[in-house]
Amino acid sequence: MIRTRFAPSPTGFLHIGGVRTALYSWLFAKSKGGEFLLRIEDTDLERSTQESVDAILEGMNWLGLDFEEEVVFQSNRFDIYQKRAEELIESGHAYKCYCTPVELEEMRSEQIKMGKNPGYDGRCRDKAEQAGDCVIRLKSEAKEDIIVNDLVYGQITVHKEELDDFIILRSNGVPTYHFAVVIDDNESEITHVLRGDDHLKNSAKHIQIMDAMGYDRPQFIHLPMILGSDGSRLSKRHGAMNILEYKAQGFLPEAVLNYLVRLGWSFGDQEIFTVEEMIDKFDVKNLNKSSAKFDLEKLKWLNQQHLMNTNNSDLAEFLNLHTTLKSKPTTETLISFIEAYKPRVNSLNELLDYFDSLYAEDFIVDDAAAQKFLKATILEPLQDLVVLLDQVEWKPESIHQIITNTCDKHNIGFGKIGQPLRVAITGGTQSPSIDVTITLLDRDNVISRLKQAIQYIGFENV
Ligand code: GLU
């Protein structure tokens, strides 16, 4: 059975890069009928925070990246790592090192002076047990270069000269990342390790630990990093914010997943994927080796595509939940509003903003729009419309007809009245076609807004 895991360190928020690793691990397991696990790598007790753990769990939950079994917290497993390290001492693969920081620094400067690669020289390998602080080091006994077999990068060679006796357990009993990750992956029966390519070289260390422990090697799948639009490593200024920030900004989880799945993987030239399609089509063979660039505009575009595919009833639920309106329109009107506005917005928040302003109890007209469009020239047409709208059948076609008639009567084009009407009725310059927009409001409301505009023109322009 294929088993993958996502193993974030809770030392910051969960961002785009981490989510993509989680997504690929999740998709790989799902696409093979396997299992996906979550492990929190909180061995750095000072930098790990509960807030970050909560954000990881909330982010995974929001995105629907569900996992099997209980979450593993490495901080609950210190006794296990200590036991495993001792087993390695007993089997002769590890030893206690009593070197002080000063001694290590001297060793290092000496090596640099001699033109050698700095690294631990193994001087404590045969030292007798003694009192005092010690770390545990793995004996690096590689007789040959280590080959990391990676499904994306192929065979990566790490030369044996680059490998030294590295620390697996610190003097305070806390394991290093390398040791904990190998023990946990083995004990969780992880078959495929997917992670960022910044860990590619670390895998050589992990292989040494695996060999010493007598573990089978998992298959490695390292993922190229994500770059910002300017080609530098993705950072906050490129939009690499907490994944929950995307939720707060009105992105749909399926759009975020769709965006991320294409950031390093492709299936022909298909751009839009439902989550089911991703699971169905995901194949590591189609992972790219080159880094992908983060592009917020594309994410917005995908969000719009997925919004179009979202059920109106789900969007209605969102609006009902988040609106600040005291009295909401009827369900029927709400659905008509969604149908009309959905194609025009890139995010849930934009939809909500339009909703709240269109149906606001204390309706406000944008100042600049009013000055530009509510002019004396359209005073009479608007006055006529007040009368006509009072009688007309409340349907877009009939409303369209009376607007056309009014234009004809005053000898103006539709364009001359459309925008002033829009400003008068919605308060702004953006809306679906004016006849449809009018029907989204009650007749009384439209007439009262028109009268308000007429009054405004009276004061300002005549
Ligand atoms: N905690 C490591 C990280 O966040 C996990 C790397 C791995 O998946 O092995 O980079």
Side-chain angles (χ1 to χ4, degrees):
M1 153 97 70
I2 285 189
R3 292 186 30 118
T4 63
R5 68 356 180 234
F6 176 48
S9 307
T11 52
F13 48 67
L14 177 60
H15 58 78
I16 283 284
V19 173
R20 191 191 58 167
T21 304
L23 172 64
Y24 286 3
S25 308
W26 183 84
L27 283 175
F28 183 67
K30 293 261 160 183
S31 66
K32 304 271 187 218
E35 289 172 343
F36 168 73
L37 315 186
L38 178 64
R39 178 172 71 233
I40 303 289
E41 301 211 320
D42 55 351
T43 52
D44 185 340
L45 299 175
E46 257 154 43
R47 291 177 57 230
S48 300
T49 64
Q50 186 58 43
E51 200 188 349
S52 171
V53 172
D54 293 344
I56 292 168
L57 294 173
E58 198 183 330
M60 299 283 284
N61 183 42
W62 176 58
L63 293 161
L65 300 177
D66 54 341
F67 42 84
E68 310 287 328
E69 303 175 7
E70 294 266 300
V71 180
V72 171
F73 287 87
Q74 289 187 325
S75 58
N76 290 337
R77 294 171 50 79
F78 287 163
D79 52 340
I80 294 172
Y81 309 123
Q82 284 161 19
K83 205 160 149 242
R84 297 285 172 268
E86 268 147 32
E87 284 166 14
L88 281 182
I89 296 181
E90 267 161 45
S91 64
H93 291 293
Y95 61 93
K96 291 184 178 168
C97 165
Y98 300 92
C99 291
T100 61
V102 174
E103 216 174 320
L104 292 172
E105 193 39 52
E106 276 170 13
M107 185 191 305
R108 197 182 140 80
S109 332
E110 193 65 23
Q111 286 164 334
I112 293 174
K113 224 191 304 172
M114 312 269 289
K116 287 193 198 157
N117 280 342
Y120 188 70
D121 64 6
R123 65 180 64 175
C124 284
R125 275 192 181 197
D126 300 313
K127 216 171 228 173
E129 183 91 23
Q130 63 183 66
D133 276 356
C134 68
V135 298
I136 297 179
R137 292 183 183 270
L138 187 86
K139 263 187 212 163
S140 179
E141 293 168 312
K143 298 201 177 39
E144 288 167 12
D145 294 344
I146 291 194
I147 313 276
V148 181
N149 267 311
D150 187 87
L151 278 185
V152 173
Y153 286 92
Q155 293 196 332
I156 300 296
T157 305
V158 178
H159 298 293
K160 60 179 188 302
E161 296 74 28
E162 292 179 47
L163 304 163
D164 68 349
D165 291 357
F166 60 92
I167 298 174
I168 55 174
L169 205 75
R170 299 187 179 89
S171 57
N172 59 2
V174 173
T176 56
Y177 154 68
H178 306 299
F179 194 53
V181 84
V182 170
I183 302 299
D184 289 344
D185 281 345
N186 180 267
E187 297 189 8
S188 299
E189 298 175 15
I190 298 302
T191 58
H192 292 70
V193 168
L194 289 93
R195 63 182 164 211
D197 68 357
D198 45 335
H199 289 292
L200 193 50
K201 284 221 159 176
N202 288 337
S203 303
K205 290 190 168 156
H206 302 176
I207 286 174
Q208 287 184 290
I209 301 172
M210 288 166 197
D211 289 353
M213 293 294 299
Y215 293 162
D216 290 337
R217 294 179 192 180
Q219 176 62 60
F220 293 110
I221 303 174
H222 285 92
L223 306 166
M225 66 166 105
I226 303 174
L227 303 177
S229 46
D230 56 2
S232 64
R233 201 193 171 110
L234 187 67
S235 69
K236 248 183 175 168
R237 80 198 141 89
H238 302 113
M241 47 204 182
N242 184 344
I243 200 69
L244 295 169
E245 213 19 62
Y246 291 92
K247 177 183 181 195
Q249 290 187 7
F251 286 95
L252 295 165
E254 52 271 36
V256 172
L257 294 179
N258 188 162
Y259 178 67
L260 288 178
V261 82
R262 286 284 295 102
L263 208 56
W265 173 85
S266 55
F267 184 80
D269 54 9
Q270 186 171 340
E271 289 290 359
I272 318 259
F273 293 85
T274 62
V275 174
E276 288 70 33
E277 279 176 309
M278 291 181 210
I279 296 174
D280 196 38
K281 295 178 170 162
F282 189 78
D283 186 338
V284 284
K285 280 210 297 276
N286 299 329
L287 284 174
N288 300 337
K289 217 192 226 169
S290 50
S291 307
K293 274 193 188 161
F294 182 75
D295 176 358
L296 188 60
E297 289 312 309
K298 184 163 173 200
L299 173 56
K300 286 185 189 163
W301 175 76
L302 276 169
N303 204 43
Q304 150 62 209
Q305 303 297 310
H306 282 273
L307 267 173
M308 287 305 288
N309 293 333
T310 304
N311 285 337
N312 291 342
S313 56
D314 290 345
L315 295 174
E317 199 182 308
F318 172 86
L319 292 177
N320 272 326
L321 202 66
H322 293 94
T323 181
T324 51
L325 297 175
K326 278 175 220 74
S327 62
K328 297 171 201 163
T330 61
T331 307
E332 198 186 332
T333 308
L334 180 55
I335 297 294
S336 308
F337 165 84
I338 291 169
E339 261 169 18
Y341 274 80
K342 186 159 82 162
R344 310 181 59 84
V345 296
N346 283 326
S347 75
L348 290 170
N349 290 14
E350 250 184 275
L351 189 67
L352 180 64
D353 286 347
Y354 277 123
F355 182 67
D356 281 354
S357 70
L358 186 67
Y359 296 102
E361 286 91 8
D362 42 1
F363 173 67
I364 298 167
V365 176
D366 177 70
D367 262 347
Q371 273 178 29
K372 184 160 178 209
F373 294 104
L374 299 183
K375 300 270 199 212
T377 43
I378 47 110
L379 185 62
E380 283 179 20
L382 288 189
Q383 282 166 336
D384 283 357
L385 277 170
V386 167
V387 177
L388 294 167
L389 282 166
D390 196 31
Q391 305 293 331
V392 73
E393 193 188 2
W394 212 239
K395 272 172 139 185
E397 308 79 64
S398 328
I399 291 173
H400 189 89
Q401 193 56 55
I402 58 164
I403 300 174
T404 312
N405 295 347
T406 307
C407 288
D408 290 348
K409 176 176 162 197
H410 293 275
N411 209 12
I412 53 174
F414 200 100
K416 282 273 179 297
I417 201 166
Q419 202 61 339
L421 261 180
R422 180 168 283 117
V423 172
I425 281 154
T426 69
T429 53
Q430 308 282 332
S431 88
S433 71
I434 189 63
D435 42 16
V436 171
T437 309
I438 287 175
T439 60
L440 298 175
L441 291 160
D442 287 344
R443 192 189 301 266
D444 289 352
N445 203 351
V446 170
I447 290 175
S448 122
R449 288 181 185 189
L450 274 186
K451 284 183 175 165
Q452 209 177 306
I454 288 166
Q455 212 175 19
Y456 170 91
I457 296 172
F459 276 127
E460 295 285 316
N461 297 300
V462 180

